[in-house]
Amino acid sequence: MTKKLNVAMIGGGFMGKAHAMAYAAMPMFFWPAPAIPVRKVLVDVNKDLAADGAERYGFEDSGADWKAVIIRKDIDVIDIVTPNDSHAEIAIAALKAGKHVICEKPLARTGAEAKTMFEAAKRSGSIHMVAFNYRRTPGVALAKKFIEEGRIGAILNFRGTYLQDWSADPNGPLSWRFSKKIAGSGTVGDIGTHVVDFARYLVGEISSVNAIVRTHIGERPLQAGGLDKLGASDKSSNGPKGKVDVDDEMIALLKFQNGAVGSIEATRNAYGRNNFLTFETHGTKGSIAFNYERMDELKVMFADDPADARGFRTIYTGPAHPYGYGLWPISALGIGYGETKIIECYDFFSAIVSGKQPSPNFEDGWRVSAIADAILESGVTERWVSVAN
Ligand code: NAI
Ligand code: SOE
């Protein structure tokens, strides 16, 4: 019989839905499964929300007090899918209670806060993961494989973007994502960190950054209720406004420890862009390009291609590629956001069963947050800032 591991999920919003779906679907995709996730308890801010979420997402039990749930003896895994201000407190308590922990990104509001989580993780014997799921898109994992195999030589340049438009309308409500106290930062921490994760995963450690960081929309209508509706206007849009105290636009130049250079940009105000999470990287022997909005595709160009066939070509990921054995049997049948979370769940449960820390773990989460801090600091000083490590 396949081992079962009981999960308590703290939070039942957008990511609650994504993670719950992955727990249910992972063994259907990856079989034999490393272990079967059992959806044991869902916790939210009050009993009604928690009970409603548990019914909808298939959890056996529900509760409104995460402190009582994380010490339950029948719980193996704590899954943190709450806004950023509660990640550290819940994760550190869960690690102390001996649980394995998966925590949504950004790991914390600042590098210092993330470091306390990494320290707690090191002290524990637990497996820990930060949920930068986009690197688990098969095309991105294939890019990593090509780079490790030396197919594009030594990396010279990495150009990454994360552009969305859900916050471009100034009448979009002032959700927790626009509050420094809750989110830590704006675009930099929320979506810039996904591109930073790509940069570290594919190229290596970033040593210093030089950034421009701006806030173009300084106030928004106050929002009723806690859940982030991601720009969808509601009745509150005609009501009183509150101050946005986080960034909404970021461009940064990067220097990598291995000599490569790069640039990244992120905004949630770019009309026409939805989930435009991209990178293009060139090395001494070729180039690779990826666009999440066409997530089944990877564009490659190898310098030793015949002269009459030079240029980017498109690989449609499928069974021959990373994670392909668990996904669909024909290339380009089409994967989506859900599959990245299913793969993440598979890798996390494999790590628990094998006892080997996965990547990205809390150390990676802390390093990404330290880079976000450096970008924010450079945005103020408009100078090169070294990344703390
Ligand atoms: P959301 O606003 O949709 O949902 C948050 C949920 O947490 C709500 O149900 C809320 O009531 C609950 N909650 C808040 N404080 C709580 C507490 N102390 N105890 C229990 N429940 C609590 O937020 P969303 O979009 O699900 O974001 C959650 C986290 O996931 C954030 O850290 C965010 O950055 C991250 N995220 C990651 C994504 C990815 O692609 N990896 C995508 C979207 C969000
Ligand atoms: C909003 O910008 C958001 O939900 C982010 O919080 C996620 O991390 C991103 O993947 C999708 O967009």
Side-chain angles (χ1 to χ4, degrees):
M1 280 291 277
T2 308
K3 185 183 175 76
K4 293 191 170 152
L5 291 169
N6 293 337
V7 179
M9 189 172 78
I10 321 296
F14 173 16
M15 277 309 95
K17 175 178 178 174
H19 287 219
M21 183 280 303
Y23 293 132
M26 185 270 277
M28 301 177 205
F29 281 74
F30 292 96
W31 192 258
I36 295 183
V38 178
R39 284 163 284 159
K40 206 74 186 170
V41 197
L42 186 145
V43 180
D44 212 310
V45 285
N46 63 52
K47 279 186 181 165
D48 289 345
L49 266 180
D52 190 60
E55 184 182 1
R56 178 175 179 188
Y57 299 131
F59 282 77
E60 292 171 17
D61 194 4
S62 64
D65 178 5
W66 62 261
K67 288 183 183 163
V69 169
I70 59 163
I71 53 172
R72 267 175 56 164
K73 287 205 167 35
D74 61 341
I75 297 298
D76 303 295
V77 171
I78 300 295
D79 181 357
I80 304 169
V81 283
T82 54
N84 313 345
D85 59 334
S86 48
H87 291 184
E89 191 187 4
I90 301 173
I92 291 168
L95 289 161
K96 271 191 191 145
K99 311 301 180 187
H100 304 297
V101 181
I102 178 166
C103 179
E104 264 303 339
K105 52 50 62 180
L107 188 58
R109 292 170 291 185
T110 62
E113 193 174 50
K115 186 91 185 277
T116 62
M117 298 167 77
F118 173 44
E119 296 295 344
K122 275 196 290 187
R123 282 193 300 272
S124 76
S126 302
I127 295 295
H128 42 96
M129 181 183 261
V130 57
F132 284 115
N133 51 302
Y134 292 116
R135 64 154 77 179
R136 294 194 147 77
T137 310
V140 179
L142 180 61
K144 168 84 169 164
K145 176 173 171 285
F146 284 154
I147 290 168
E148 281 182 348
E149 289 170 354
R151 303 276 282 273
I152 63 164
I155 303 292
L156 303 174
N157 195 320
F158 172 93
R159 298 175 289 283
T161 70
Y162 200 157
L163 313 180
Q164 302 179 321
D165 71 0
W166 63 266
S167 76
D169 179 355
N171 276 323
L174 186 75
S175 71
W176 64 261
R177 279 185 174 79
F178 301 102
S179 155
K180 185 171 180 185
K181 188 166 173 285
I182 304 177
S185 65
T187 292
V188 172
D190 188 32
I191 58 174
T193 51
H194 284 295
V195 197
V196 169
D197 180 59
F198 275 2
R200 291 184 66 251
Y201 178 56
L202 296 170
V203 185
E205 286 306 338
I206 293 168
S207 52
S208 56
V209 302
N210 194 337
I212 300 170
V213 179
R214 295 280 185 272
T215 303
H216 293 300
I217 300 174
E219 57 173 24
R220 291 178 175 277
L222 294 173
Q223 178 187 303
L227 211 73
D228 189 353
K229 296 172 190 153
L230 292 165
S233 50
D234 60 12
K235 289 190 190 114
S236 61
S237 57
N238 296 323
K241 295 195 170 183
K243 191 171 157 18
V244 171
D245 59 359
V246 295
D247 55 283
D248 61 18
E249 192 95 26
M250 173 272 273
I251 307 179
L253 295 177
L254 314 175
K255 288 184 202 166
F256 291 86
Q257 284 178 8
N258 61 12
V261 297
S263 62
I264 55 176
E265 56 179 295
T267 174
R268 302 174 297 199
N269 294 346
Y271 275 120
R273 294 299 183 193
N274 297 287
N275 213 51
F276 196 69
L277 172 58
T278 72
F279 65 80
E280 186 170 308
T281 179
H282 64 262
T284 50
K285 292 191 199 166
S287 293
I288 300 179
F290 172 79
N291 171 3
Y292 180 84
E293 290 180 354
R294 304 189 67 88
M295 67 190 292
D296 288 295
E297 301 176 12
L298 190 70
K299 308 261 186 214
V300 295
M301 190 280 170
F302 299 123
D304 57 5
D305 287 342
D308 62 354
R310 284 167 77 100
F312 276 104
R313 71 178 109 112
T314 305
I315 298 171
Y316 290 89
T317 53
H321 301 118
Y323 305 112
Y325 61 92
L327 300 172
W328 306 108
I330 298 175
S331 294
L333 278 180
I335 55 166
Y337 184 79
E339 278 85 343
T340 70
K341 283 290 176 192
I342 291 167
I343 296 168
E344 176 176 88
C345 174
Y346 168 68
D347 281 344
F348 183 55
F349 278 75
S350 299
I352 294 173
V353 170
S354 71
K356 287 193 194 137
Q357 290 300 345
S359 177
N361 54 43
F362 279 19
E363 177 172 4
D364 298 287
W366 157 57
R367 291 188 184 279
V368 170
S369 291
I371 294 163
D373 282 359
I375 290 171
L376 290 163
E377 184 186 331
S378 175
V380 174
T381 62
E382 303 212 331
R383 291 175 187 277
W384 282 98
V385 172
S386 299
V387 174
N389 52 40

